[in-house]
């Protein structure tokens, strides 16, 4: 496992939300600490993690930065469930952008030489186990019957959202059945709301709650990103799940989004959609987090197995986004016993020299990190503010500059501007409004007679 802790001081978050535009397919606000680690799968897989994240539970109607589009009810439920064609994030997300015709970055050759042009791709996923652990990062799809639970933060709570979150006690942990002290990611998608929840260094408790170093919630119907300089459950401040190679997509014959990959070294910089760095190199040719590699159009993939051709075709059209420090050229995917490991291992025949760096603009460093105002909350009220036991009240809010909203306790991540609640005792609700330049909170109390 490769693990690196990078601590770097940043300016106060601000400037405009750089909207992710593009492919198929989140410490305090003034400083970030980043630890990124290897996954421990498949012979030292690329890791993830780094401080903080955004979190939240599944919720009813309410919140900002969402979409009027309903969640796709065709998404199946269960471990490694099929999304049945649903693609996370809108079509204009950077994850979903066709970059096959994008210009090559002027530093592409120097960066590829820094990586090591002869290093081959490595599938950090597959069937069965490697050294007692499943190969890949698992995910779990839940439905509206899943209860919300609290998350207790053990490291990066300042950059993590508070929950509650619909995390089952039996949710698979990266590295199962023997996750040890690895990255221990837990990825849960709620198919009733299309919110994605990601935990880093997650440990279940006997009472159904979870301990986690950090957590992040992602609205899969919106162009959401982490606040500038904030991390997520991944070192680059990115979601993990949308970049995984999943069996259901490969079996269907196409992947319509960018993939996630790791490199052993990175510098103190990031390019969108990344929002955070975890530098372990000062070399000018070391890549920034969020860098995208594209398989060259001229690279002949006709001799590869059909399943691998699906992956390589996606790498030509959408590329792969650097998300963490880890083993170089490791592509992330979900474990599935239907994979053919022999087929997947033919990816090692593809060298780094077969890739080019898609043009990176902008690239942010400590000298030009975007700056701007945190979200403004005009009001957060409960009407009525006093109710009888068993009655309901409406929480409502007005705000601007927020990408997503979380209400704690009992509610979680929400869209819209209001939601009904029925607390069983006098409760103070906190609204967390998070945008590209930080987070603002407001409280309102409901008295139960």
């Amino acid at each position: 496992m490769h693990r690196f802790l990078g601590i770097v001081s940043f300016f106060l978050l601000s400037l405009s939300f750089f909207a992710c535009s593009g492919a198929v397919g989140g410490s305090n606000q003034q400083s970030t600490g980043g630890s990124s680690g290897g996954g421990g799968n498949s012979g030292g897989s690329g890791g993830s993690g780094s401080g903080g994240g955004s979190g939240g539970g599944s919720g009813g109607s309410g919140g900002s930065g969402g979409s009027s589009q309903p969640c796709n009810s065709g998404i199946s439920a269960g471990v490694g469930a099929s999304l049945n064609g649903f693609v996370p994030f809108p079509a204009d997300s950077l994850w979903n952008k066709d970059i096959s015709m994008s210009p090559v970055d002027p530093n592409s050759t120097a960066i590829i030489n820094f990586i090591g042009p002869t290093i081959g791709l490595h599938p950090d996923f597959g069937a069965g186990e490697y050294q007692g652990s499943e190969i890949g990062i698992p995910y779990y799809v839940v439905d509206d019957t899943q209860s919300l639970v609290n998350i207790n933060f053990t490291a990066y709570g300042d950059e993590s959202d508070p929950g509650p979150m619909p995390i089952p006690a039996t949710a698979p942990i990266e590295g199962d059945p023997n996750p040890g002290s690895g990255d221990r990611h837990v990825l849960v998608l709620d198919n009733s709301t299309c919110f994605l929840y990601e935990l880093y260094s997650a440990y279940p408790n006997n009472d159904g709650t979870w301990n986690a170093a950090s957590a992040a919630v992602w609205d899969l119907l919106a162009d959401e990103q982490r606040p500038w300089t904030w991390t997520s459950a991944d070192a680059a401040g990115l979601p993990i799940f949308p970049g995984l190679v999943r069996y259901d997509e490969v079996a269907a014959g196409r992947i319509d989004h960018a993939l996630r990959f790791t490199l052993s070294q990175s510098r103190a910089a990031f390019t969108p959609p990344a929002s955070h760095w975890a530098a372990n190199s000062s070399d000018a040719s070391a890549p920034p987090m969020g860098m995208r590699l594209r398989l060259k159009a001229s690279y002949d993939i006709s001799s590869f197995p059909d399943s691998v051709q699906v992956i390589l075709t996606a790498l030509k059209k959408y590329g792969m986004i650097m998300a963490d420090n880890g083993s170089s050229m490791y592509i992330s995917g979900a474990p599935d016993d239907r994979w053919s490991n022999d087929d997947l291992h033919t990816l090692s025949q593809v060298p780094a020299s077969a890739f080019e760096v898609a043009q990176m603009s902008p690239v942010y460093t400590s000298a030009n990190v975007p700056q701007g105002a945190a979200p403004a909350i005009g009001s957060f009220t409960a009407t009525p503010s006093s109710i009888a036991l068993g009655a309901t009240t409406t929480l409502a809010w007005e705000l601007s500059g927020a990408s997503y909203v979380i209400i704690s306790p009992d509610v979680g991540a929400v869209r819209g501007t209001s939601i009904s609640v029925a607390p069983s005792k006098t409760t103070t609700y906190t609204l967390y409004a998070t945008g590209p330049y930080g987070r603002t909170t407001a409280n309102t109390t409901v008295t139960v007679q």
Side-chain angles (χ1 to χ4, degrees), residues 12 54 106 127 131 163 208 231 258 289 304 307 334 338 376 400 420 431:
L12 186 64
S54 78
Q131 295 184 345
T231 186
M289 289 293 179
F304 288 88
S307 59
R338 294 171 292 181
S400 61
S420 295
L431 182 149

Side-chain angles (χ1 to χ4, degrees), residues 396-407:
W397 52 92
E398 295 180 353
L399 49 81
S400 61
S403 301
Y404 60 98
V405 165
I406 293 162
I407 297 175

Side-chain angles (χ1 to χ4, degrees), residues 22-25 69 87-94 96 219-224:
V24 178
Q69 170 188 355
V87 179
F89 301 130
D92 64 350
S93 163
L94 280 176
N96 305 329
D219 185 347
L220 298 184
L221 302 182
D223 254 345
E224 178 200 324

Side-chain angles (χ1 to χ4, degrees), residues 10-28:
F10 274 134
F11 300 116
L12 186 64
L13 301 176
S14 47
L15 195 66
S16 66
F17 178 171
F18 188 88
C20 301
S21 80
V24 178
S27 103
N28 58 39

Side-chain angles (χ1 to χ4, degrees), residues 101-126:
M101 302 302 292
S102 297
V104 176
D105 194 88
N107 295 321
S108 178
T109 298
I111 292 173
I112 295 298
N113 286 337
F114 178 86
I115 294 170
T118 62
I119 295 177
L121 286 177
H122 183 91
D124 198 15
F125 59 97

